[in-house]
Amino acid sequence: MYHHFMKKYITDEEKSAGDSMTEKTTAVILAIVMTSMFAFSGCKTEKAATDKYISGADFSSEASFMATENDRLLLEWDDENKCIVLTVKESGEKWSSIPYKYLEGGGSSANVSSTLNITVVDSVTLQQTTLRGYTEAYENGEIIAEKAENGIKVTYFFENYGISIPVKYSLGDRFLSASVDYREIRESEKYPILSFSLMPFLCSAENNGNGYLFVPCGSGALMYARETPETERSFTGEVFGADYSRPNPVNTSNPEEVRLPVFGVKNGKSAMLAVIENGAEAAALEAAAGNPRTGYSNIYPSFYVRGYDVYDKSTYDSLKDDLVRISERKAEIQAEVRYYPLSGEDADYNGMAKTYRKYLSDSGKLIGNTAGGSPYSLTLLGGAEVSSSTLGVPVQRLKIMTSFEDAVKIIDTVETAASESPAVLLKGFGESGISVGKLAGGFKISGKNGAKETLFDYYNKNGITNYTDFDIIRYKRSGKGFSYSSDCAKTAIHKAADRYEAIGPLRIYEDSRKYRVIGRQELPAALQKVINSAKKNDLTGVSLLTLGEYAYSDYSSKETYVKGQMAKDVTSIINNLKKVGLGVAVGSNSYAAATGDTVFDTPTDNGYYNCFDEQIPFYQMIFGACRQLYSSPVNTSDNIREKILDSVIGGCGLNFALIGNYRSEYTEIYSEKLYAMYYTDNIDLIRETLEAYLPVYEKIKGKHIEKYEIISDKLSKTVFENGVVLYANHSESKIVSPAGVLSAYEYRLAEQREKQ
């Protein structure tokens, strides 16, 4: 499993072994140390007696039994096949941790028949091994089931490795719950557990039938359950993105991440939506479509029990393989997944969206409605640090891209052209601009951008919704009470959480661009400084984009292992900002979107992974009716027309990133696309785009998507709750639609509302 997890997240060169050591010396020392000692980090601690493994041979399993039922569902234990069976009473549909039709057909694959898999690390060799539940728990160990309150407790004993994991299966009103309390996991010192995969084939569909997997990557994706000449297609993505306290990944293409803790499957006339209720930060979603060896396509969650750091073999000549060092202590969380069986009209991704919206509302995780603002927003970039030298000494100087006077001119010019006021996000108006410097740019608004009153008076006079961004995650210098050396987050092996700013189109990493991630325990202090700065500068709205986009671990505290409690921490911060009367804009992870007022950089595509077959606006189906959503910048997109279309079909507002003046040296520190941000070059684009979108937006703003339909690979249909129907052409050629002939990437409302 490890190599499947890591294929997208391999680290850069590890350069922190000591300034005085050569790379060769470092490699030799590391090789000696890591082949002679346990892979754990930190201080050695004595395990409690209750953590010791007890053989499964000392227990006996009950025969097959009916565990519990309610008005809708029936839960049973099948002791012959060592699996749970869930029956939907109304339809008679059966879902099992081993596909029910597979059981009826007498299948015997160890892959399909494994209801719990684990990955362990050999503490001597550091080698990782994935253990299938069928082989190592059923054949070589024990699977013991017993009745429990409102369900079944099943303990999986991996006898040869000294590991046992209890899983509790129980019923809610409309769902099956599967949960694992990490504190009840028992293991040996020889084989510490890295992760486990929960019911890999509960959410599965037979290949070449009417089925697909739903993957919440970016805006949302579908993987059809069909076999292809290219054999199976697979996807792995950590929920809420890769752990940001790990070193930078080599992959710099910045694909979309998994922003929602949900997944699902459609199998014939039935479907299943799964919601990760607890422990989502520690989860990764794994999907495989069209596997010819099993005959099934499946999607499931794997949960990290420990964190890890990865060492690239290219860094150390003496090492043959990438090395993983894991944390000594396992996390102390309770992972829980709720599975909602769907049938009838709800047995598709539209029904999944409807069910998840209800779940968020009923659970109190989505409160209030802040949708319906301006159809577009402007992100204004204040400045950036550029390297220069004084008498041969390298220094960083802040270069201004947009002054406050420029900002007024930009907003006024755009507003006149668009005939509509924008929402405005100020980014990079602190001491270090958009570059990483002191935490949150020193919690200041830089005086080098001119008199802020020039812009703020304009805001007030014209009633413009505005946010000023504070990056309270990344920093590279001490200041404002935050120490670079002692206040940073710690990785799984208790190193400082170092990352690197990428430079230019080649995405080069340099030590001079190294920065760190702030310790999680420092976030409350950072919050207070944001509040103080907002009061001092009379801000009405603040933005916390990085806080809402990057989830990360901090191994300074067991509560924050494997990204633990990230959702809780971010939700608390946003709520505290609201309590003092501030509007809050956030990044797109679902826990931030569910709490904030406005979401910037809303995912409008699925990352265009080759394994995906279709793109759907699932994210917008969840948040579009209750949050003001804005896309990532339209004007810097590789395909502007496609970017606009992907945003419009979900009712998402459009964003344009602009600067007041352009200097060629900026490209060294931001990106090769900075030239596309000069505001005078974008006026026609903004005017023409909004002329087409404004009439549509006025009819769909604040309305949730009732149904999204993929009519063909070129044509889609979006139906909003008020009956408004939007057709869209996703191709580069003209097509005929019920709304008339559509040009390339054109969208159009149906002339009359269609009966559904």
Side-chain angles (χ1 to χ4, degrees), residues 236-301:
T236 297
E238 293 183 46
V239 178
F240 306 135
D243 191 335
Y244 201 67
S245 69
R246 294 190 210 122
N248 293 35
V250 170
N251 185 350
T252 57
S253 60
N254 194 30
E256 288 291 351
E257 303 279 10
V258 173
R259 299 297 182 189
L260 303 169
V262 297
F263 58 96
V265 63
K266 176 178 173 59
N267 186 20
K269 296 181 179 180
S270 300
M272 180 78 81
L273 171 72
V275 179
I276 305 178
E277 167 72 8
N278 290 310
E281 296 95 332
L285 296 185
E286 305 210 47
N291 187 335
R293 297 179 299 280
T294 65
Y296 282 84
S297 300
N298 62 313
I299 184 169
Y300 58 94

Side-chain angles (χ1 to χ4, degrees), residues 329-333 554-562 564-565:
R329 297 179 61 178
K330 63 179 184 285
E332 295 184 4
I333 64 176
D554 184 357
Y555 290 85
S556 301
S557 171
K558 64 182 180 181
E559 287 79 14
T560 52
Y561 286 10
V562 291
Q565 297 194 29

Side-chain angles (χ1 to χ4, degrees), residues 11 238 241-249 307-310 473-474 488-499 515-520 550-556 560-564 566:
T11 59
E238 293 183 46
D243 191 335
Y244 201 67
S245 69
R246 294 190 210 122
N248 293 35
Y308 63 88
D309 274 3
V310 183
I473 297 294
R474 307 176 300 177
C488 61
K490 298 299 189 293
T491 69
I493 59 172
H494 290 266
K495 287 166 52 71
D498 291 334
R499 293 185 65 86
Y515 64 90
R516 288 182 170 172
V517 182
I518 195 67
R520 293 275 293 279
Y550 302 132
Y552 67 100
S553 305
D554 184 357
Y555 290 85
S556 301
T560 52
Y561 286 10
V562 291
K563 300 188 287 188
M566 193 73 203

Side-chain angles (χ1 to χ4, degrees), residues 611-639:
C611 59
F612 295 152
D613 295 302
E614 300 287 1
Q615 179 173 297
I616 60 174
F618 192 90
Y619 189 97
Q620 287 77 6
M621 295 168 79
I622 302 304
F623 293 116
C626 58
R627 293 293 180 267
Q628 183 58 54
L629 307 180
Y630 291 113
S631 68
S632 56
V634 168
N635 52 311
T636 60
S637 300
D638 293 331
N639 187 328

